[in-house]
Amino acid sequence: EASPLRYNLDPQDQFRIMTTMDERGEELSAIYHSHTASPAYPSQTDINLAAYPDVLYLIVSLADGEKDLRGYTISDGEVNEVELQVE
């Protein structure tokens, strides 16, 4: 979106990507985005738009010049943080 508060994937791009993944036998495992001025925690908009309960939502915060990466599952409006291990 042309907004500092929201992001959007073009629906045609999303359909093409998901179709290609399906044809290749791939599965969606994570969705990531950044919060440029707020903590790495799902916003109410993130929660409302969370349509994939089985994927990991990765959010990186860039607030205060720091980088903070966190992962969550979001299902039926319930947010659960997942411990991330970077190797």
Side-chain angles (χ1 to χ4, degrees), residues 19-31:
T19 299
T20 300
M21 288 174 59
D22 188 48
E23 290 169 351
R24 294 179 180 174
E26 300 171 341
E27 294 182 17
L28 182 64
S29 58
I31 297 172

Side-chain angles (χ1 to χ4, degrees), residues 36-75:
T36 57
S38 60
Y41 187 84
S43 68
Q44 189 60 54
T45 299
D46 295 334
I47 296 167
N48 293 346
L49 296 177
Y52 301 96
D54 297 326
V55 306
L56 181 63
Y57 289 85
L58 296 169
I59 302 173
V60 63
S61 173
L62 306 173
D64 301 322
E66 299 293 322
K67 294 181 184 124
D68 182 25
L69 175 65
R70 297 187 181 261
Y72 303 90
T73 57
I74 305 173
S75 181

